[in-house]
Amino acid sequence: MTSAIERPAVAEEDAPARPLRKDAARNRELLIAAAREVFARRGIEASLDDVARRAGLGVGTAYRHFANKYELLTALMTQTIDEIVAQAEYAATMDDPWEGLVTFLEAALTVQAKDRGLREVLMGVHDPEKLEQVHDRIAAPLDEIVRRAKRARLVRRDVEPSDVGVIIGMLCTVADIGGDEHPELWRRYLPLCLEGLKPGAPKPAVKALDEAQIRRAMATHKHGFPERRPSPSG
Amino acid sequence: MTSAIERPAVAEEDAPARPLRKDAARNRELLIAAAREVFARRGIEASLDDVARRAGLGVGTAYRHFANKYELLTALMTQTIDEIVAQAEYAATMDDPWEGLVTFLEAALTVQAKDRGLREVLMGVHDPEKLEQVHDRIAAPLDEIVRRAKRARLVRRDVEPSDVGVIIGMLCTVADIGGDEHPELWRRYLPLCLEGLKPGAPKPAVKALDEAQIRRAMATHKHGFPERRPSPSG
Amino acid sequence: MTSAIERPAVAEEDAPARPLRKDAARNRELLIAAAREVFARRGIEASLDDVARRAGLGVGTAYRHFANKYELLTALMTQTIDEIVAQAEYAATMDDPWEGLVTFLEAALTVQAKDRGLREVLMGVHDPEKLEQVHDRIAAPLDEIVRRAKRARLVRRDVEPSDVGVIIGMLCTVADIGGDEHPELWRRYLPLCLEGLKPGAPKPAVKALDEAQIRRAMATHKHGFPERRPSPSG
Amino acid sequence: MTSAIERPAVAEEDAPARPLRKDAARNRELLIAAAREVFARRGIEASLDDVARRAGLGVGTAYRHFANKYELLTALMTQTIDEIVAQAEYAATMDDPWEGLVTFLEAALTVQAKDRGLREVLMGVHDPEKLEQVHDRIAAPLDEIVRRAKRARLVRRDVEPSDVGVIIGMLCTVADIGGDEHPELWRRYLPLCLEGLKPGAPKPAVKALDEAQIRRAMATHKHGFPERRPSPSG
DNA sequence: TATGAATGAGAGTTCATTCAT
DNA sequence: AATGAATGAACTCTCATTCAT
């Protein structure tokens, strides 16, 4: 459940993942924690200076650990994905497949509902490679969760793993709307969404995305991240 | 359905809204169209320079028509809200209440699904006054739509107008995910959401927001738009 | 006589005014020197870009040291005010009260005559708070200078400290007129003004401003500096 | 005493001063009056758009009458100079030379004291040619005023016409300081200055500027007027 | 001729990123 | 390794000036 992130940004390419010196590792965690707080409150617009200051470190240190702001954001996401993957793996083993599905959704939302910056990053991912990794890790347990629910006739045949991802996105939006004042609002719409997956519900005319499609869809640059600009010369 | 945008930003005092010169009116439309395209593709982060360039005009012209970037965004929103309100009013009069509800949702989504910037504005606008106006105009027909559906026992008693607003938001997110490649993806999740409103579906433990709550929630500054600053000209 | 400028603009919170790094301190001085030159020559209309260029630095650096153009101007003014206050304090202790008065006027003018931007700021600053501070510091020695001259019957009874301030302003104008070509022109009009203060000279029909009045008068926004605007970063 | 300005800006070079059509002449006066009001209140920073709006005309019309903002400002000055020249001519004929001198100074100040923009322009003149014309017209009566006062031993031998000009400037500054709240403050400092001209007063060590010098000094570009910028290409 | 829409250079300011200390 | 000063491109907005209507 804790972060699996171990490589600093400076470790180019495929260095053998040498563990960080202890204080460096600590700074990395400080930065991620600070980023989470700052971005959670003010969104991804917040400046890295602010993040660094919150972490009690200099900006330079932030750049030693993360090649750029986007990398830091990605690290946040990765860390969270780690948690969600863990939850998915656990949920995939629960006795009751329905409970597994619900547990997974609740876990994912509980993590994301509190963090605006995180939601922004998760929906606006830029690095197709990174996203591939995420998908590679979540695909199996999510598949399993959905497959078991289908086998037990708890959800329709046309339901796909991508549906679960989309539903998480939808409920993130509800969390956005609810904001700090109604942090549990998404819980109203979770059963609502689940209801529509049940065998009794009509099968929608539009098909779900398959795995390749959802990968591509999410990898498409959608959210206001600037193209990597040419580095300032000075 | 017609545009509510009629006065250029320069009308400062109490000018009687004299109609624009033909070329100015055309440029205004060019700007709005360009803004829609640019913001639709790149989000509200896009610069007014880019909008003007896309319109084939100078920045100054943009500022002649809209006092600032935020006003332009608002104009876009207003125009669309007009359309949606019109749709709501129409839907509220349809013979079949269910068809009315579905028609309204489809209409709203059809408009918003294509426009990321618009969705950002609609979810993130922080001009409470403007948003009040929007709510003031949409409240009555939306109320009517929901009331009729409830009276006909097509949706549960605990369903509120705010639920419809939230569902629109959720489906906007789906549109975001679908992007240009799967522009109809949201149609898969519309029936799914509707299913959850039906009397057969379990009543969620969390209550819907009432009107005052949803107004407040949406008015809360979420998406980092700077406060309107006083002009520095003195 | 020493500079009162010690904290960089970045010290936002309650940092204990840690001394600047050596290079930063040097750049700060470069900036102030450049600002003095540029504003002295071209007035406060000159752009910060020009100031930075003259200092051989980037604009960003100017903004690291001064929150905005206005702050830089204030820093300049503060530095000079320090000098003038010191001169006033010294002049107030001179054996010969008349020599004290003249010495003070000459000192103040010598400082200001060379610097158009400074004169503009001193006459037009509209930060009432800052100006209050200036007055607070200069009031006592100036009072003393005038009081001693009056007690020694060297100037009329109706002369007020504000007269000295006004005379400085008048001579600044002469310096303006003289420009670089006649930098000492103001010295012609200094005895002229002093003559009018002597007991033999007729008492003017119009009374001098008292301290409260001159404070108000000088605090009134006269030279079009924009209000400090709230930062748009939110 | 009324304006002697008769040529529109469009009359290039030395057209034979054809009188303007009546409405054009009226617009010209409207513009100058509006400019006076606007610049008087807000200084020369005010925009031409504001001036034109105040005149009830379009900016374009302003540019038909004045080649640029600076020309308009100059027209203001010229108009005032006309008044002052007329006053000078009148004062030069008064029986009592001292009364003539005082009358002239009071008249000049009365005109200028009320108008901040005017003072800014008068001190910041740009067009050496225009200034030459002004000097050419004021020189004779001013000379006469000073000569008569000297002949009657009312002022020292070293007093020059330029001294009177400088004193006007100094008192303008007092008017600046007095602002709207103490519009008569300059009257306190007029006798003060005059006292210093009297034969009893000591002769200053620094000599007055002669006519050529003061012409040059005032023609020197001192105040924040931008170099004529290259016209925008679009 | 009069109008006011259009233009774009330029101003103040921010912030991701680099680099000297 | 850590720091934070420096950089400059980019952004929003203004206004003198031009030009189509």
Side-chain angles (χ1 to χ4, degrees):
Chain A
M1 194 82 68
T2 55
S3 168
I5 308 167
E6 291 155 285
R7 266 164 309 187
V10 285
E12 291 290 337
E13 299 288 308
D14 46 359
R18 172 152 47 93
L20 287 173
R21 265 176 39 190
K22 252 215 309 278
D23 54 343
R26 192 175 145 276
N27 282 347
R28 183 169 225 276
E29 291 313 313
L30 279 176
L31 281 165
I32 291 184
R36 218 178 268 282
E37 277 180 70
V38 171
F39 292 137
R41 190 185 321 280
R42 315 224 309 267
I44 62 178
E45 301 278 280
S47 78
L48 269 202
D49 265 295
D50 286 339
V51 170
R53 185 154 35 241
R54 165 75 92 159
L57 300 169
V59 227
T61 307
Y63 278 89
R64 172 160 298 278
H65 286 280
F66 306 97
N68 49 44
K69 182 176 175 177
Y70 166 67
E71 287 287 327
L72 171 54
L73 253 2
T74 298
L76 247 56
M77 181 187 76
T78 305
Q79 209 179 53
T80 302
I81 292 293
D82 286 341
E83 297 178 38
I84 293 177
V85 167
Q87 295 282 0
E89 283 165 351
Y90 167 70
T93 67
M94 291 179 85
D95 285 341
D96 180 347
W98 183 256
E99 200 189 335
L101 174 60
V102 173
T103 298
F104 171 59
L105 282 165
E106 285 187 324
L109 260 299
T110 300
V111 170
Q112 294 180 54
K114 294 173 195 134
D115 192 330
R116 168 151 88 95
L118 186 61
R119 294 191 296 271
E120 288 175 354
V121 183
L122 280 169
M123 307 234 61
V125 173
H126 261 223
D127 183 343
E129 220 174 297
K130 210 80 188 182
L131 197 69
E132 281 300 299
Q133 296 171 20
V134 170
H135 272 120
D136 288 346
R137 297 176 59 208
I138 197 86
L142 183 51
D143 245 48
E144 177 64 10
I145 289 170
V146 173
R147 192 181 350 258
R148 293 177 72 219
K150 283 162 86 166
R151 202 177 309 132
R153 315 271 163 181
L154 298 167
V155 304
R156 269 178 285 114
R157 310 290 307 266
D158 67 294
V159 171
E160 294 286 337
S162 76
D163 286 319
V164 180
V166 170
I167 286 172
I168 290 176
M170 290 165 71
L171 294 174
C172 277
T173 298
V174 180
D176 256 337
I177 293 172
D180 293 337
E181 305 235 342
H182 308 280
E184 302 285 296
L185 187 63
W186 63 269
R187 291 189 189 276
R188 176 173 176 82
Y189 299 91
L190 171 55
L192 190 142
C193 290
L194 290 173
E195 196 61 25
L197 299 178
K198 290 183 183 168
K203 178 176 150 184
V206 177
K207 287 210 303 187
L209 302 186
D210 63 30
E211 188 167 320
Q213 286 173 323
I214 187 108
R215 281 183 182 224
R216 263 186 63 80
M218 299 213 58
T220 304
H221 171 137
K222 290 196 198 91
H223 287 264
F225 235 95
E227 313 297 331
R228 201 73 122 292
R229 3 176 183 169
S231 83
S233 64
Chain B
M1 191 81 74
T2 56
S3 167
I5 309 165
E6 287 157 283
R7 262 167 313 189
V10 285
E12 270 182 21
E13 321 239 312
D14 45 350
R18 179 145 50 93
L20 286 173
R21 246 166 57 181
K22 246 207 326 267
D23 54 344
R26 193 177 142 273
N27 283 343
R28 183 168 232 277
E29 291 315 314
L30 280 177
L31 278 166
I32 290 185
R36 226 179 258 287
E37 274 182 71
V38 170
F39 291 138
R41 191 183 318 281
R42 313 225 310 269
I44 63 179
E45 300 279 282
S47 80
L48 269 202
D49 263 301
D50 286 340
V51 170
R53 190 163 22 250
R54 164 75 92 159
L57 300 168
V59 225
T61 305
Y63 278 93
R64 166 165 286 273
H65 286 280
F66 305 96
N68 48 46
K69 181 178 173 176
Y70 169 71
E71 287 286 327
L72 172 52
L73 250 2
T74 298
L76 252 50
M77 180 184 76
T78 304
Q79 220 179 38
T80 302
I81 291 293
D82 286 341
E83 296 178 38
I84 293 176
V85 168
Q87 296 283 359
E89 284 164 351
Y90 167 70
T93 66
M94 292 179 84
D95 285 340
D96 179 347
W98 184 256
E99 200 187 336
L101 175 60
V102 174
T103 298
F104 170 59
L105 283 165
E106 286 187 324
L109 259 299
T110 301
V111 170
Q112 294 179 55
K114 295 169 194 137
D115 193 330
R116 173 153 85 94
L118 184 62
R119 292 191 296 272
E120 288 176 353
V121 176
L122 281 170
M123 308 232 60
V125 171
H126 67 153
D127 180 346
E129 221 175 296
K130 208 78 191 181
L131 205 63
E132 279 300 298
Q133 294 172 20
V134 170
H135 273 121
D136 287 345
R137 298 177 60 207
I138 199 85
L142 184 51
D143 246 48
E144 178 65 10
I145 290 170
V146 172
R147 195 182 346 261
R148 293 177 72 217
K150 283 162 87 166
R151 202 178 307 133
R153 315 272 163 178
L154 298 167
V155 303
R156 268 176 286 116
R157 309 291 307 267
D158 67 295
V159 172
E160 295 286 338
S162 75
D163 286 320
V164 179
V166 170
I167 286 172
I168 291 176
M170 290 164 71
L171 295 174
C172 276
T173 299
V174 181
D176 256 339
I177 294 172
D180 294 337
E181 305 235 344
H182 308 280
E184 303 285 298
L185 185 64
W186 60 270
R187 291 188 190 275
R188 175 174 177 83
Y189 300 90
L190 171 55
L192 190 141
C193 290
L194 289 172
E195 197 60 25
L197 299 178
K198 290 184 184 168
K203 177 174 151 184
V206 177
K207 287 211 303 186
L209 302 186
D210 63 32
E211 187 165 321
Q213 287 172 323
I214 187 105
R215 281 184 183 226
R216 265 186 61 78
M218 299 212 58
T220 303
H221 173 136
K222 292 198 194 90
H223 287 276
F225 225 91
E227 309 300 325
R228 195 93 112 297
R229 27 174 172 170
S231 105
S233 67
Chain C
M1 192 80 73
T2 56
S3 166
I5 308 164
E6 290 158 279
R7 262 166 312 190
V10 286
E12 270 181 21
E13 320 237 313
D14 46 350
R18 178 143 51 91
L20 287 173
R21 243 166 57 181
K22 243 205 329 266
D23 55 345
R26 193 177 141 274
N27 283 343
R28 182 167 233 277
E29 292 315 314
L30 280 177
L31 279 166
I32 290 185
R36 225 179 258 287
E37 275 182 71
V38 170
F39 292 138
R41 191 183 319 279
R42 311 225 313 268
I44 64 178
E45 300 278 281
S47 79
L48 270 203
D49 264 299
D50 286 339
V51 171
R53 188 162 26 248
R54 164 75 90 159
L57 300 168
V59 225
T61 305
Y63 279 93
R64 167 167 286 273
H65 287 280
F66 305 96
N68 49 45
K69 181 179 174 175
Y70 169 72
E71 288 287 328
L72 172 52
L73 249 3
T74 297
L76 252 49
M77 181 183 75
T78 304
Q79 222 177 38
T80 302
I81 291 294
D82 286 340
E83 295 178 37
I84 293 176
V85 167
Q87 296 283 359
E89 283 165 352
Y90 166 69
T93 67
M94 291 178 87
D95 285 340
D96 179 347
W98 183 257
E99 200 189 335
L101 174 59
V102 173
T103 298
F104 171 58
L105 283 165
E106 286 187 324
L109 259 300
T110 300
V111 171
Q112 293 179 55
K114 296 172 193 135
D115 193 330
R116 173 153 84 92
L118 184 61
R119 292 192 296 273
E120 289 176 353
V121 175
L122 281 171
M123 309 233 57
V125 171
H126 67 154
D127 180 343
E129 221 173 296
K130 209 76 190 182
L131 205 62
E132 279 300 298
Q133 295 171 19
V134 171
H135 273 121
D136 288 345
R137 297 177 59 206
I138 199 85
L142 184 51
D143 245 48
E144 178 65 10
I145 289 170
V146 173
R147 192 179 351 255
R148 294 178 72 220
K150 284 162 85 166
R151 202 178 308 135
R153 315 271 165 182
L154 298 167
V155 303
R156 268 178 285 115
R157 310 289 308 266
D158 67 293
V159 171
E160 295 286 338
S162 76
D163 286 319
V164 179
V166 170
I167 287 172
I168 291 177
M170 290 164 72
L171 295 174
C172 277
T173 299
V174 181
D176 256 337
I177 292 172
D180 293 337
E181 305 235 343
H182 307 281
E184 301 285 297
L185 187 63
W186 61 271
R187 290 190 189 274
R188 175 174 178 80
Y189 300 91
L190 171 55
L192 191 140
C193 290
L194 289 175
E195 198 58 27
L197 299 179
K198 290 185 183 166
K203 180 175 149 184
V206 177
K207 287 210 304 187
L209 302 186
D210 64 30
E211 187 166 321
Q213 286 172 324
I214 186 107
R215 281 182 184 228
R216 263 187 62 79
M218 300 213 56
T220 304
H221 172 136
K222 292 196 193 91
H223 288 273
F225 223 90
E227 309 298 328
R228 197 91 113 296
R229 25 176 174 167
S231 104
S233 67
Chain D
M1 193 83 67
T2 55
S3 168
I5 307 167
E6 288 155 289
R7 268 166 307 188
V10 286
E12 290 290 337
E13 299 290 309
D14 47 359
R18 171 153 47 93
L20 287 173
R21 265 177 38 191
K22 254 217 305 281
D23 55 342
R26 192 175 144 277
N27 282 347
R28 186 171 223 278
E29 291 314 312
L30 279 176
L31 280 165
I32 290 184
R36 219 178 266 285
E37 277 182 69
V38 171
F39 292 137
R41 191 186 318 282
R42 316 226 307 267
I44 63 179
E45 300 278 281
S47 80
L48 270 202
D49 265 294
D50 286 339
V51 171
R53 184 154 39 241
R54 166 75 93 158
L57 299 170
V59 226
T61 307
Y63 277 91
R64 174 161 297 277
H65 287 279
F66 305 97
N68 50 43
K69 182 177 176 177
Y70 166 67
E71 287 286 327
L72 171 53
L73 253 0
T74 297
L76 247 55
M77 181 188 74
T78 306
Q79 210 180 51
T80 301
I81 292 293
D82 286 340
E83 296 178 39
I84 293 176
V85 167
Q87 296 282 359
E89 284 165 351
Y90 167 69
T93 67
M94 291 179 85
D95 285 341
D96 178 347
W98 183 257
E99 199 189 336
L101 175 59
V102 174
T103 299
F104 170 60
L105 282 165
E106 285 187 325
L109 259 300
T110 301
V111 170
Q112 294 179 55
K114 294 172 194 132
D115 192 330
R116 170 152 85 95
L118 186 60
R119 293 191 297 273
E120 290 175 351
V121 183
L122 280 170
M123 307 235 61
V125 172
H126 261 223
D127 183 344
E129 223 175 296
K130 210 79 186 183
L131 198 68
E132 281 301 299
Q133 295 171 20
V134 170
H135 272 121
D136 288 346
R137 297 177 58 209
I138 197 86
L142 184 51
D143 245 46
E144 179 63 12
I145 288 170
V146 173
R147 191 174 357 252
R148 293 178 71 219
K150 282 162 86 167
R151 203 178 306 135
R153 315 272 162 178
L154 297 167
V155 305
R156 268 178 285 114
R157 310 290 306 268
D158 67 295
V159 172
E160 294 287 338
S162 73
D163 286 319
V164 181
V166 171
I167 287 174
I168 291 177
M170 289 163 71
L171 295 174
C172 276
T173 299
V174 181
D176 256 337
I177 292 172
D180 293 337
E181 305 234 343
H182 308 281
E184 302 286 298
L185 187 63
W186 61 270
R187 290 189 190 276
R188 175 174 177 81
Y189 299 91
L190 171 55
L192 192 139
C193 290
L194 290 173
E195 197 59 25
L197 300 179
K198 290 184 184 169
K203 177 175 150 186
V206 178
K207 289 211 302 187
L209 302 187
D210 64 30
E211 188 166 320
Q213 288 172 324
I214 187 107
R215 281 183 184 224
R216 264 186 62 80
M218 299 212 58
T220 304
H221 171 138
K222 292 199 197 86
H223 287 264
F225 236 95
E227 313 297 330
R228 200 74 120 292
R229 8 176 180 167
S231 81
S233 62

